[in-house]
């Protein structure tokens, strides 16, 4: 009879729960991309982190590569539009948002971003339609907690009025205030 050692987790090491996620950071994503260089989802996530750090050229390169690898990746098109819009390339941003909503017509955030880009180019009728589509798809975009930019949007009352008229008075407005 040979006694086998019992297998117990070491108390010295902290075991990670199987369902807990590893926080994404640039190093983790870079390591994963080294193993999977053609993964558009990893490229998109890395672009998001780089953009948050103000590394816009690096972010743009990741988004551009992601959409080249998967031309139907709506989120990457939207993010490419966000990057381009933030740095003054509004026409290019508008094209990226249009691509995102063409791929995924129910992508409310891309519709909202398209509305912002159209409004800034003084294309008010088109911007109202884009905003209306966004708010019908996701009324939560009217919540300042979810979409802080909403408080600076000068067209919201016009959009809400038009939506109300277009829907025959059936738009449901939130019962709670969107403002803190």
């Amino acid at each position: 009879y040979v006694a086998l050692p019992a297998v117990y987790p070491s108390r010295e090491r902290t075991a990670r729960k199987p369902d807990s996620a590893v926080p994404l950071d640039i190093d983790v994503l870079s390591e994963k991309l080294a193993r999977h260089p053609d993964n558009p989802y990893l490229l998109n996530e890395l672009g998001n982190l780089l953009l948050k750090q103000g590394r816009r050229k690096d972010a743009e390169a990741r988004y551009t590569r992601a959409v080249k690898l998967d031309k139907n990746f709506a989120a990457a098109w939207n993010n490419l539009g966000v990057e381009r819009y933030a740095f003054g390339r509004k026409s290019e941003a508008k094209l990226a948002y249009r691509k995102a909503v063409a791929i995924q017509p129910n992508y409310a955030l891309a519709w909202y971003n398209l509305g912002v880009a159209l409004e800034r180019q003084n294309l008010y009728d088109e911007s109202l339609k884009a905003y209306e589509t966004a708010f019908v798809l996701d009324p939560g975009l009217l919540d300042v907690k979810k979409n802080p930019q909403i408080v600076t949007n000068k067209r919201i009352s016009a959009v809400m009025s038009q939506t109300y008229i277009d829907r025959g008075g059936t738009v449901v407005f939130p019962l709670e205030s969107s403002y803190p």
Side-chain angles (χ1 to χ4, degrees):
Y1 172 81
V2 176
L4 296 173
V7 180
Y8 295 105
S10 169
R11 289 185 179 162
E12 295 171 13
R13 285 188 287 154
T14 305
R16 191 168 46 98
K17 294 180 185 175
D19 60 341
S20 65
V22 175
L24 292 179
D25 66 17
I26 290 175
D27 294 334
V28 170
L29 283 173
S30 296
E31 180 183 308
K32 288 181 184 227
L33 269 168
R35 291 190 310 257
H36 309 284
D38 292 333
N39 185 315
Y41 303 98
L42 292 174
L43 287 162
N44 183 62
E45 288 303 318
L46 182 55
N48 290 343
L49 292 175
L50 291 167
L51 193 59
K52 285 179 184 175
Q53 286 190 345
R55 296 172 55 188
R56 73 170 279 277
K57 294 227 182 260
D58 292 334
E60 182 177 15
R62 295 331 183 276
Y63 295 140
T64 301
R65 180 148 167 72
V67 297
K68 283 182 181 177
L69 289 168
D70 183 352
K71 297 196 183 326
N72 293 317
F73 190 3
W77 281 108
N78 181 66
N79 292 338
L80 184 59
V82 167
E83 185 279 328
R84 289 177 173 172
Y85 184 86
F87 295 96
R89 296 161 51 198
K90 292 174 179 45
S91 292
E92 291 177 48
K94 182 176 69 172
L95 293 174
Y97 298 140
R98 285 192 191 280
K99 183 73 174 169
V101 299
I103 293 166
Q104 190 175 333
N106 62 345
Y107 193 177
L109 185 57
W111 278 108
Y112 180 81
N113 289 336
L114 177 59
V116 171
L118 291 166
E119 181 181 341
R120 297 300 190 270
Q121 292 183 327
N122 299 322
L123 300 169
Y124 297 120
D125 289 340
E126 280 186 82
S127 72
L128 290 178
K129 289 176 185 172
Y131 285 140
E132 181 179 2
T133 302
F135 299 141
V136 167
L137 290 170
D138 184 1
L141 287 172
L142 292 166
D143 184 350
V144 72
K145 292 174 194 158
K146 181 176 180 179
N147 183 12
Q149 181 182 351
I150 199 76
V151 296
T152 62
N153 195 310
K154 297 174 183 166
R155 301 275 176 230
I156 297 307
S157 59
V159 172
M160 296 309 295
S161 298
Q162 188 62 48
T163 303
Y164 186 77
I165 292 166
D166 288 350
R167 300 239 169 221
T170 60
V171 171
V172 177
F173 292 95
L175 295 175
E176 294 180 347
S177 172
S178 296
Y179 300 96

